[in-house]
Amino acid sequence: MLWKIYFWLIIAISIASMFVEAVHGPVIETTDTVISIISTIGLFGYVYNKQLLSKSFWKFVFIITVIEVLAYTMLDVLNDPELGVGV
């Protein structure tokens, strides 16, 4: 039950984030959106117990998602004006 709530919360946050101004430019934002959509599809399959693609594909997507989240977070930290680093 909690996974279903989490899934729908992620959907709501994703829809709301479409209306927020892009901070990092169109290429990074588009890449983030594509990876998020694929990850959310995987979460749907897990929550509703449906095998959409192979397990090896989802392992690959998981690794890419973790790398993307870390890179996106580091980009935010490096561009933080309070730290005096970045633009």
Side-chain angles (χ1 to χ4, degrees):
M1 178 67 180
L2 290 177
W3 281 111
K4 290 181 182 179
I5 293 170
Y6 176 70
F7 170 74
W8 288 107
L9 185 64
I10 291 295
I11 294 291
I13 291 170
S14 296
I15 291 170
S17 71
M18 288 183 205
F19 301 105
V20 177
E21 185 178 337
V23 177
H24 299 296
V27 173
I28 294 173
E29 296 294 334
T30 302
T31 303
D32 180 55
T33 301
V34 169
I35 291 173
S36 296
I37 289 170
I38 294 170
S39 298
T40 305
I41 291 169
L43 181 61
F44 169 82
Y46 176 75
V47 167
Y48 289 98
N49 200 21
K50 300 194 183 293
Q51 185 169 354
L52 302 173
L53 295 168
S54 69
K55 288 183 181 182
S56 60
F57 173 80
W58 292 115
K59 287 178 185 179
F60 176 74
V61 168
F62 175 74
I63 292 168
I64 296 298
T65 302
V66 169
I67 292 170
E68 188 265 340
V69 167
L70 291 174
Y72 201 82
T73 303
M74 289 304 296
L75 188 62
D76 279 343
V77 169
L78 291 176
N79 288 326
D80 189 356
E82 291 185 12
L83 295 177
V85 182
V87 180

Coordinates of all heavy atoms in Angstrom, one line a residue:
M1 N 0.8 -1.2 0.0 CA 0.0 0.0 0.0 C 0.9 1.3 0.0 O 0.6 2.2 -0.7 CB -0.9 0.0 1.2 CG -1.8 1.2 1.4 SD -3.0 1.2 0.0 CE -3.8 2.7 0.4
L2 N 1.9 1.3 0.8 CA 2.8 2.5 0.9 C 3.5 2.7 -0.5 O 3.7 3.9 -0.8 CB 3.8 2.3 2.0 CG 3.2 2.4 3.4 CD1 4.3 2.2 4.5 CD2 2.5 3.8 3.6
W3 N 3.8 1.6 -1.2 CA 4.5 1.8 -2.5 C 3.6 2.5 -3.5 O 4.0 3.2 -4.3 CB 5.0 0.4 -3.0 CG 6.3 0.0 -2.4 CD1 6.4 -1.1 -1.5 CD2 7.5 0.6 -2.6 NE1 7.7 -1.2 -1.2 CE2 8.5 -0.2 -1.8 CE3 8.0 1.6 -3.3 CZ2 9.8 0.1 -1.7 CZ3 9.4 2.0 -3.2 CH2 10.2 1.2 -2.5
K4 N 2.3 2.1 -3.4 CA 1.3 2.8 -4.3 C 1.2 4.3 -4.0 O 1.1 5.1 -4.9 CB 0.0 2.1 -4.2 CG 0.0 0.7 -4.8 CD -1.3 0.0 -4.7 CE -1.2 -1.4 -5.3 NZ -2.5 -2.2 -5.3
I5 N 1.2 4.6 -2.7 CA 1.1 6.0 -2.3 C 2.4 6.7 -2.8 O 2.3 7.8 -3.4 CB 1.0 6.1 -0.8 CG1 -0.4 5.6 -0.4 CG2 1.1 7.6 -0.4 CD1 -0.6 5.5 1.1
Y6 N 3.5 6.1 -2.7 CA 4.8 6.7 -3.1 C 4.8 6.8 -4.6 O 5.2 7.9 -5.1 CB 5.9 5.7 -2.7 CG 7.3 6.2 -3.2 CD1 7.9 7.3 -2.7 CD2 7.9 5.5 -4.2 CE1 9.1 7.8 -3.1 CE2 9.2 5.9 -4.7 CZ 9.8 7.0 -4.1 OH 11.0 7.4 -4.6
F7 N 4.3 5.8 -5.4 CA 4.2 5.9 -6.8 C 3.4 7.1 -7.2 O 3.8 7.9 -8.1 CB 3.6 4.6 -7.4 CG 3.3 4.7 -8.9 CD1 4.3 4.7 -9.8 CD2 2.0 4.8 -9.3 CE1 4.0 4.8 -11.2 CE2 1.7 4.9 -10.7 CZ 2.7 4.9 -11.6
W8 N 2.2 7.3 -6.7 CA 1.3 8.4 -7.1 C 1.8 9.7 -6.6 O 1.6 10.8 -7.3 CB -0.1 8.1 -6.6 CG -0.7 7.0 -7.4 CD1 -1.0 5.8 -7.0 CD2 -1.1 7.1 -8.8 NE1 -1.5 5.1 -8.1 CE2 -1.6 5.8 -9.2 CE3 -1.1 8.1 -9.8 CZ2 -2.1 5.6 -10.5 CZ3 -1.5 7.8 -11.0 CH2 -2.0 6.6 -11.4
L9 N 2.6 9.7 -5.5 CA 3.2 11.0 -5.1 C 4.3 11.4 -6.1 O 4.4 12.6 -6.4 CB 3.8 10.8 -3.7 CG 4.4 12.0 -3.0 CD1 3.4 13.1 -2.8 CD2 5.1 11.6 -1.7
I10 N 5.1 10.4 -6.6 CA 6.1 10.7 -7.6 C 5.5 11.2 -8.8 O 6.0 12.2 -9.5 CB 6.9 9.4 -7.9 CG1 7.8 9.1 -6.7 CG2 7.8 9.6 -9.1 CD1 8.9 10.1 -6.3
I11 N 4.4 10.7 -9.3 CA 3.6 11.1 -10.4 C 3.2 12.6 -10.2 O 3.4 13.4 -11.1 CB 2.4 10.2 -10.8 CG1 2.8 8.8 -11.2 CG2 1.5 10.9 -11.8 CD1 3.5 8.8 -12.5
A12 N 2.6 12.9 -9.1 CA 2.2 14.3 -8.8 C 3.3 15.3 -8.8 O 3.2 16.4 -9.4 CB 1.4 14.3 -7.5
I13 N 4.5 14.9 -8.2 CA 5.6 15.8 -8.1 C 6.2 15.9 -9.5 O 6.6 17.1 -9.9 CB 6.7 15.2 -7.2 CG1 6.2 15.3 -5.7 CG2 8.0 15.9 -7.3 CD1 7.0 14.6 -4.7
S14 N 6.2 14.9 -10.3 CA 6.7 15.0 -11.7 C 5.8 15.9 -12.6 O 6.4 16.7 -13.3 CB 6.7 13.6 -12.4 OG 7.7 12.8 -11.7
I15 N 4.5 15.8 -12.4 CA 3.6 16.7 -13.2 C 3.8 18.2 -12.7 O 3.9 19.1 -13.5 CB 2.2 16.3 -13.0 CG1 2.0 14.9 -13.7 CG2 1.2 17.3 -13.5 CD1 0.7 14.3 -13.5
A16 N 3.9 18.4 -11.4 CA 4.1 19.7 -10.9 C 5.5 20.3 -11.3 O 5.6 21.5 -11.6 CB 4.1 19.7 -9.3
S17 N 6.5 19.5 -11.5 CA 7.8 20.0 -11.8 C 7.9 20.4 -13.3 O 8.8 21.1 -13.7 CB 8.9 18.9 -11.6 OG 8.8 17.8 -12.5
M18 N 6.9 20.0 -14.1 CA 6.8 20.4 -15.5 C 6.6 21.9 -15.6 O 6.9 22.5 -16.6 CB 5.7 19.7 -16.2 CG 6.0 18.3 -16.5 SD 4.7 17.6 -17.5 CE 4.8 15.9 -17.1
F19 N 6.0 22.5 -14.6 CA 5.7 23.9 -14.6 C 6.7 24.8 -13.9 O 6.5 26.0 -13.8 CB 4.3 24.1 -13.9 CG 3.2 23.4 -14.6 CD1 2.7 22.2 -14.0 CD2 2.7 23.8 -15.9 CE1 1.7 21.5 -14.7 CE2 1.8 23.0 -16.5 CZ 1.3 21.9 -15.9
V20 N 7.8 24.2 -13.5 CA 8.9 25.0 -12.9 C 10.0 25.3 -14.0 O 10.2 24.5 -14.9 CB 9.6 24.1 -11.8 CG1 10.7 24.9 -11.2 CG2 8.5 23.8 -10.7
E21 N 10.5 26.5 -13.9 CA 11.5 27.0 -14.8 C 12.8 26.1 -14.8 O 13.2 25.7 -13.7 CB 11.9 28.4 -14.5 CG 12.8 29.0 -15.6 CD 13.1 30.5 -15.2 OE1 12.3 31.1 -14.5 OE2 14.2 30.9 -15.7
A22 N 13.3 25.8 -15.9 CA 14.5 25.0 -16.0 C 15.7 25.7 -15.5 O 15.9 26.9 -15.8 CB 14.8 24.6 -17.5
V23 N 16.5 25.1 -14.6 CA 17.6 25.7 -14.0 C 18.9 25.4 -14.7 O 19.7 26.3 -14.8 CB 17.7 25.3 -12.5 CG1 18.9 25.9 -11.8 CG2 16.4 25.6 -11.7
H24 N 19.0 24.2 -15.2 CA 20.3 23.8 -15.7 C 20.4 23.8 -17.2 O 21.4 23.3 -17.8 CB 20.6 22.4 -15.2 CG 20.7 22.3 -13.7 ND1 21.7 23.0 -13.0 CD2 20.0 21.7 -12.8 CE1 21.6 22.7 -11.7 NE2 20.5 22.0 -11.6
G25 N 19.4 24.2 -17.9 CA 19.5 24.2 -19.4 C 18.7 23.1 -19.9 O 18.3 22.1 -19.3
P26 N 18.3 23.2 -21.2 CA 17.4 22.2 -21.8 C 18.0 20.8 -22.0 O 17.2 19.8 -21.8 CB 17.1 22.8 -23.2 CG 18.2 23.8 -23.5 CD 18.7 24.3 -22.1
V27 N 19.3 20.7 -22.2 CA 19.8 19.3 -22.4 C 19.8 18.5 -21.1 O 19.3 17.4 -21.0 CB 21.3 19.4 -22.9 CG1 21.9 18.0 -23.0 CG2 21.3 20.1 -24.3
I28 N 20.2 19.1 -20.0 CA 20.2 18.4 -18.7 C 18.8 18.2 -18.2 O 18.5 17.1 -17.7 CB 21.1 19.2 -17.7 CG1 22.5 19.3 -18.1 CG2 20.9 18.7 -16.3 CD1 23.4 20.2 -17.3
E29 N 17.9 19.2 -18.4 CA 16.6 19.0 -17.9 C 15.9 17.9 -18.7 O 15.1 17.1 -18.2 CB 15.8 20.3 -18.1 CG 16.3 21.4 -17.1 CD 16.1 21.1 -15.7 OE1 15.2 20.4 -15.3 OE2 16.9 21.6 -14.9
T30 N 16.1 17.8 -20.1 CA 15.5 16.8 -20.9 C 16.0 15.4 -20.5 O 15.2 14.5 -20.4 CB 15.8 17.1 -22.4 OG1 15.3 18.4 -22.7 CG2 15.1 16.1 -23.3
T31 N 17.3 15.3 -20.3 CA 17.9 14.1 -19.9 C 17.3 13.6 -18.6 O 16.9 12.4 -18.4 CB 19.4 14.2 -19.7 OG1 20.0 14.6 -21.0 CG2 20.1 12.9 -19.3
D32 N 17.2 14.5 -17.6 CA 16.6 14.2 -16.3 C 15.2 13.7 -16.5 O 14.7 12.8 -15.8 CB 16.7 15.4 -15.4 CG 16.1 15.2 -14.0 OD1 16.5 14.2 -13.4 OD2 15.2 15.9 -13.6
T33 N 14.4 14.4 -17.3 CA 13.0 14.0 -17.5 C 12.9 12.6 -18.1 O 12.1 11.8 -17.7 CB 12.3 15.1 -18.4 OG1 12.4 16.4 -17.8 CG2 10.9 14.7 -18.7
V34 N 13.7 12.3 -19.1 CA 13.6 11.0 -19.8 C 14.0 9.9 -18.8 O 13.3 8.9 -18.7 CB 14.6 11.0 -21.0 CG1 14.7 9.6 -21.5 CG2 14.1 11.9 -22.1
I35 N 15.1 10.1 -18.0 CA 15.5 9.1 -17.0 C 14.4 9.0 -16.0 O 14.1 7.8 -15.5 CB 16.8 9.5 -16.4 CG1 17.9 9.3 -17.5 CG2 17.1 8.6 -15.2 CD1 19.3 9.8 -17.1
S36 N 13.8 10.1 -15.5 CA 12.7 10.0 -14.5 C 11.5 9.3 -15.0 O 10.9 8.5 -14.3 CB 12.3 11.4 -14.1 OG 13.4 12.1 -13.5
I37 N 11.1 9.5 -16.3 CA 10.0 8.8 -16.9 C 10.2 7.3 -16.9 O 9.4 6.5 -16.5 CB 9.6 9.3 -18.3 CG1 9.0 10.7 -18.1 CG2 8.7 8.4 -19.0 CD1 8.9 11.5 -19.4
I38 N 11.4 6.9 -17.4 CA 11.8 5.5 -17.4 C 11.8 4.8 -16.0 O 11.2 3.7 -15.8 CB 13.1 5.3 -18.2 CG1 13.0 5.7 -19.6 CG2 13.6 3.8 -18.1 CD1 14.3 5.8 -20.4
S39 N 12.3 5.6 -15.1 CA 12.4 5.1 -13.7 C 11.0 4.9 -13.1 O 10.7 4.0 -12.4 CB 13.2 6.0 -12.8 OG 14.5 6.0 -13.3
T40 N 10.1 5.9 -13.4 CA 8.7 5.8 -12.9 C 8.0 4.7 -13.5 O 7.1 4.0 -12.9 CB 8.0 7.2 -13.2 OG1 8.8 8.2 -12.6 CG2 6.6 7.2 -12.6
I41 N 8.2 4.4 -14.8 CA 7.6 3.2 -15.4 C 8.1 1.9 -14.7 O 7.3 1.0 -14.4 CB 7.9 3.1 -16.9 CG1 7.2 4.3 -17.6 CG2 7.6 1.8 -17.5 CD1 7.7 4.5 -19.1
G42 N 9.3 1.9 -14.3 CA 9.9 0.7 -13.6 C 9.2 0.6 -12.2 O 8.9 -0.5 -11.7
L43 N 9.0 1.8 -11.6 CA 8.3 1.8 -10.3 C 6.9 1.3 -10.4 O 6.4 0.5 -9.5 CB 8.4 3.2 -9.7 CG 7.7 3.4 -8.3 CD1 8.4 2.5 -7.3 CD2 7.8 4.8 -7.9
F44 N 6.2 1.7 -11.5 CA 4.9 1.2 -11.7 C 4.9 -0.3 -11.8 O 4.0 -1.0 -11.2 CB 4.3 1.8 -13.0 CG 3.0 1.2 -13.5 CD1 1.8 1.6 -12.9 CD2 3.0 0.2 -14.5 CE1 0.6 1.0 -13.4 CE2 1.9 -0.4 -14.9 CZ 0.7 0.0 -14.3
G45 N 5.8 -0.9 -12.6 CA 5.9 -2.3 -12.7 C 6.1 -3.0 -11.4 O 5.5 -4.1 -11.1
Y46 N 6.9 -2.4 -10.5 CA 7.2 -3.0 -9.2 C 6.0 -2.9 -8.3 O 5.6 -3.9 -7.7 CB 8.4 -2.3 -8.6 CG 8.6 -2.8 -7.2 CD1 9.2 -4.1 -7.0 CD2 8.3 -2.1 -6.1 CE1 9.5 -4.5 -5.7 CE2 8.5 -2.5 -4.8 CZ 9.1 -3.8 -4.6 OH 9.3 -4.2 -3.3
V47 N 5.3 -1.7 -8.3 CA 4.2 -1.5 -7.4 C 3.0 -2.4 -7.7 O 2.4 -2.9 -6.9 CB 3.8 0.0 -7.4 CG1 2.5 0.2 -6.7 CG2 4.9 0.8 -6.7
Y48 N 2.7 -2.5 -9.0 CA 1.6 -3.2 -9.5 C 1.9 -4.7 -9.9 O 1.1 -5.3 -10.6 CB 0.8 -2.5 -10.6 CG 0.1 -1.2 -10.0 CD1 0.7 0.0 -10.1 CD2 -1.1 -1.4 -9.3 CE1 0.1 1.1 -9.5 CE2 -1.7 -0.3 -8.8 CZ -1.1 1.0 -8.9 OH -1.7 2.1 -8.3
N49 N 3.1 -5.1 -9.6 CA 3.6 -6.5 -9.8 C 3.4 -6.9 -11.3 O 2.8 -7.9 -11.6 CB 2.8 -7.4 -8.9 CG 3.6 -8.8 -8.8 OD1 4.8 -8.8 -9.0 ND2 2.9 -9.8 -8.4
K50 N 3.9 -6.0 -12.2 CA 3.9 -6.3 -13.6 C 5.3 -6.3 -14.2 O 6.0 -5.3 -14.0 CB 3.0 -5.3 -14.4 CG 1.6 -5.3 -13.9 CD 0.7 -4.5 -14.8 CE -0.7 -4.4 -14.3 NZ -1.4 -5.6 -14.2
Q51 N 5.7 -7.4 -14.8 CA 7.0 -7.4 -15.4 C 6.9 -6.7 -16.8 O 6.4 -7.3 -17.7 CB 7.6 -8.8 -15.6 CG 9.0 -8.8 -16.1 CD 9.6 -10.1 -15.9 OE1 9.1 -11.1 -15.4 NE2 10.8 -10.3 -16.5
L52 N 7.5 -5.5 -16.9 CA 7.4 -4.8 -18.2 C 8.6 -5.1 -19.1 O 8.4 -5.3 -20.3 CB 7.4 -3.3 -17.9 CG 6.2 -2.9 -17.0 CD1 6.4 -1.4 -16.6 CD2 4.9 -3.1 -17.7
L53 N 9.8 -5.2 -18.6 CA 11.0 -5.6 -19.4 C 11.8 -6.5 -18.5 O 11.4 -6.9 -17.4 CB 11.7 -4.3 -19.8 CG 11.0 -3.4 -20.8 CD1 11.8 -2.1 -20.9 CD2 10.9 -4.0 -22.1
S54 N 13.0 -6.9 -19.1 CA 13.8 -7.9 -18.3 C 14.4 -7.3 -17.1 O 14.6 -6.1 -16.9 CB 14.9 -8.4 -19.3 OG 15.8 -7.3 -19.5
K55 N 14.8 -8.2 -16.2 CA 15.4 -7.7 -14.9 C 16.8 -7.0 -15.2 O 17.1 -6.1 -14.5 CB 15.6 -8.9 -14.0 CG 14.3 -9.4 -13.4 CD 14.6 -10.5 -12.4 CE 13.3 -11.0 -11.8 NZ 13.5 -12.1 -10.8
S56 N 17.5 -7.5 -16.2 CA 18.8 -6.9 -16.5 C 18.6 -5.5 -17.0 O 19.4 -4.6 -16.7 CB 19.6 -7.7 -17.5 OG 18.9 -7.9 -18.7
F57 N 17.5 -5.2 -17.7 CA 17.3 -3.9 -18.2 C 17.0 -2.9 -17.0 O 17.5 -1.8 -16.9 CB 16.0 -3.8 -19.1 CG 15.6 -2.4 -19.5 CD1 16.3 -1.7 -20.5 CD2 14.5 -1.8 -18.9 CE1 15.9 -0.4 -20.8 CE2 14.1 -0.5 -19.2 CZ 14.8 0.2 -20.2
W58 N 16.2 -3.4 -16.0 CA 15.9 -2.5 -14.9 C 17.1 -2.4 -14.0 O 17.3 -1.3 -13.3 CB 14.7 -3.1 -14.1 CG 13.5 -2.9 -15.0 CD1 12.7 -3.9 -15.5 CD2 12.9 -1.7 -15.4 NE1 11.7 -3.4 -16.2 CE2 11.8 -2.1 -16.2 CE3 13.2 -0.4 -15.3 CZ2 11.0 -1.1 -16.8 CZ3 12.4 0.6 -15.9 CH2 11.3 0.2 -16.7
K59 N 18.0 -3.3 -13.9 CA 19.3 -3.2 -13.2 C 20.1 -2.1 -13.8 O 20.7 -1.2 -13.1 CB 20.1 -4.5 -13.1 CG 19.5 -5.5 -12.2 CD 20.3 -6.8 -12.2 CE 19.6 -7.8 -11.4 NZ 20.4 -9.1 -11.4
F60 N 20.2 -2.1 -15.2 CA 20.9 -1.0 -15.9 C 20.2 0.3 -15.7 O 21.0 1.3 -15.4 CB 20.9 -1.4 -17.4 CG 21.5 -0.3 -18.3 CD1 22.9 -0.2 -18.3 CD2 20.7 0.5 -19.1 CE1 23.5 0.8 -19.1 CE2 21.3 1.5 -19.9 CZ 22.7 1.6 -19.9
V61 N 18.9 0.4 -15.7 CA 18.2 1.7 -15.5 C 18.5 2.2 -14.1 O 18.7 3.4 -13.9 CB 16.7 1.5 -15.8 CG1 15.9 2.7 -15.2 CG2 16.4 1.3 -17.2
F62 N 18.5 1.3 -13.1 CA 18.8 1.6 -11.7 C 20.2 2.3 -11.6 O 20.3 3.3 -11.0 CB 18.7 0.4 -10.8 CG 19.0 0.7 -9.4 CD1 18.2 1.5 -8.6 CD2 20.3 0.3 -8.9 CE1 18.6 1.7 -7.3 CE2 20.6 0.6 -7.6 CZ 19.8 1.3 -6.8
I63 N 21.2 1.7 -12.2 CA 22.5 2.2 -12.1 C 22.6 3.6 -12.8 O 23.2 4.5 -12.3 CB 23.5 1.2 -12.8 CG1 23.6 0.0 -11.9 CG2 24.9 1.8 -13.0 CD1 24.3 -1.2 -12.6
I64 N 22.0 3.7 -14.0 CA 22.0 5.0 -14.7 C 21.2 6.0 -13.8 O 21.7 7.2 -13.7 CB 21.3 4.9 -16.1 CG1 22.2 3.9 -17.0 CG2 21.1 6.2 -16.7 CD1 23.6 4.5 -17.2
T65 N 20.1 5.7 -13.2 CA 19.4 6.6 -12.4 C 20.2 7.1 -11.2 O 20.2 8.3 -10.8 CB 18.1 6.0 -11.9 OG1 17.3 5.6 -13.0 CG2 17.3 6.9 -11.1
V66 N 20.9 6.2 -10.5 CA 21.7 6.5 -9.4 C 22.8 7.5 -9.8 O 23.1 8.5 -9.2 CB 22.3 5.3 -8.7 CG1 23.4 5.7 -7.7 CG2 21.2 4.5 -8.0
I67 N 23.5 7.2 -10.9 CA 24.5 8.1 -11.5 C 24.0 9.4 -11.8 O 24.6 10.5 -11.5 CB 25.2 7.4 -12.7 CG1 26.0 6.2 -12.3 CG2 26.1 8.4 -13.4 CD1 26.5 5.4 -13.4
E68 N 22.8 9.5 -12.4 CA 22.2 10.7 -12.8 C 21.8 11.6 -11.6 O 22.0 12.8 -11.6 CB 20.9 10.4 -13.7 CG 20.3 11.7 -14.3 CD 19.2 12.2 -13.5 OE1 18.6 11.5 -12.7 OE2 18.9 13.4 -13.7
V69 N 21.2 10.9 -10.6 CA 20.9 11.6 -9.4 C 22.1 12.2 -8.7 O 22.1 13.4 -8.2 CB 20.1 10.7 -8.4 CG1 20.0 11.4 -7.0 CG2 18.7 10.4 -9.0
L70 N 23.2 11.5 -8.6 CA 24.4 12.0 -8.0 C 25.0 13.1 -8.8 O 25.4 14.1 -8.3 CB 25.4 10.8 -7.9 CG 25.1 9.7 -6.9 CD1 26.1 8.6 -6.9 CD2 25.0 10.3 -5.5
A71 N 25.0 13.0 -10.1 CA 25.5 14.0 -11.0 C 24.7 15.3 -10.9 O 25.2 16.4 -10.8 CB 25.6 13.6 -12.4
Y72 N 23.4 15.2 -10.9 CA 22.5 16.3 -10.8 C 22.6 17.0 -9.5 O 22.7 18.2 -9.4 CB 21.0 15.8 -11.0 CG 20.0 16.9 -11.4 CD1 19.9 17.2 -12.7 CD2 19.2 17.5 -10.5 CE1 19.0 18.2 -13.1 CE2 18.3 18.5 -10.9 CZ 18.2 18.8 -12.2 OH 17.3 19.8 -12.6
T73 N 22.8 16.2 -8.4 CA 23.0 16.8 -7.1 C 24.3 17.5 -7.0 O 24.4 18.7 -6.5 CB 23.0 15.7 -6.0 OG1 21.7 15.0 -6.1 CG2 23.2 16.3 -4.6
M74 N 25.4 17.0 -7.6 CA 26.7 17.6 -7.6 C 26.6 18.9 -8.4 O 27.3 19.9 -8.1 CB 27.8 16.7 -8.1 CG 28.1 15.6 -7.2 SD 28.6 16.1 -5.6 CE 30.1 17.0 -5.9
L75 N 25.9 18.9 -9.5 CA 25.7 20.1 -10.3 C 25.0 21.2 -9.5 O 25.4 22.4 -9.6 CB 24.9 19.8 -11.6 CG 24.8 20.8 -12.6 CD1 26.2 21.2 -13.2 CD2 23.9 20.4 -13.7
D76 N 24.1 20.8 -8.7 CA 23.4 21.8 -7.8 C 24.4 22.4 -6.8 O 24.4 23.6 -6.5 CB 22.2 21.2 -7.1 CG 21.0 21.1 -8.0 OD1 20.9 21.8 -9.0 OD2 20.0 20.4 -7.6
V77 N 25.2 21.5 -6.2 CA 26.1 21.9 -5.2 C 27.2 22.8 -5.8 O 27.5 23.9 -5.2 CB 26.8 20.7 -4.5 CG1 28.0 21.1 -3.7 CG2 25.8 20.0 -3.7
L78 N 27.7 22.5 -7.0 CA 28.7 23.3 -7.6 C 28.2 24.6 -8.1 O 29.0 25.6 -8.2 CB 29.4 22.5 -8.8 CG 30.2 21.3 -8.4 CD1 30.6 20.5 -9.6 CD2 31.4 21.7 -7.5
N79 N 27.0 24.7 -8.4 CA 26.4 26.0 -8.8 C 25.7 26.8 -7.7 O 25.0 27.7 -8.0 CB 25.4 25.8 -10.0 CG 26.1 25.4 -11.3 OD1 27.2 25.8 -11.5 ND2 25.5 24.5 -12.0
D80 N 25.9 26.4 -6.5 CA 25.3 27.1 -5.4 C 26.0 28.4 -5.1 O 27.2 28.4 -4.8 CB 25.4 26.2 -4.1 CG 24.6 26.8 -3.0 OD1 24.0 27.9 -3.1 OD2 24.5 26.1 -1.9
P81 N 25.4 29.5 -5.2 CA 26.0 30.8 -5.0 C 26.5 31.1 -3.6 O 27.4 31.8 -3.4 CB 25.0 31.9 -5.5 CG 23.7 31.1 -5.4 CD 24.0 29.7 -5.6
E82 N 25.9 30.4 -2.6 CA 26.3 30.6 -1.2 C 27.6 30.0 -1.0 O 28.4 30.4 -0.1 CB 25.3 30.0 -0.3 CG 24.0 30.8 -0.3 CD 23.0 30.3 0.8 OE1 23.4 29.5 1.6 OE2 21.8 30.7 0.7
L83 N 28.0 29.0 -1.8 CA 29.3 28.4 -1.6 C 30.4 29.2 -2.3 O 31.6 28.9 -2.1 CB 29.3 26.9 -2.1 CG 28.4 25.9 -1.4 CD1 28.4 24.6 -2.1 CD2 28.8 25.8 0.1
G84 N 30.0 30.0 -3.2 CA 31.0 30.8 -3.9 C 31.6 30.1 -5.0 O 32.7 30.4 -5.5
V85 N 31.0 28.9 -5.4 CA 31.6 28.1 -6.5 C 30.7 28.2 -7.7 O 29.5 28.2 -7.5 CB 31.7 26.6 -6.0 CG1 32.3 25.8 -7.0 CG2 32.5 26.6 -4.7
G86 N 31.2 28.1 -8.8 CA 30.4 28.1 -10.0 C 29.9 29.4 -10.5 O 30.5 30.5 -10.1
V87 N 28.9 29.4 -11.3 CA 28.5 30.6 -12.0 C 27.6 31.5 -11.1 O 26.8 31.1 -10.4 CB 27.7 30.3 -13.3 CG1 27.2 31.5 -14.0 CG2 28.6 29.4 -14.2

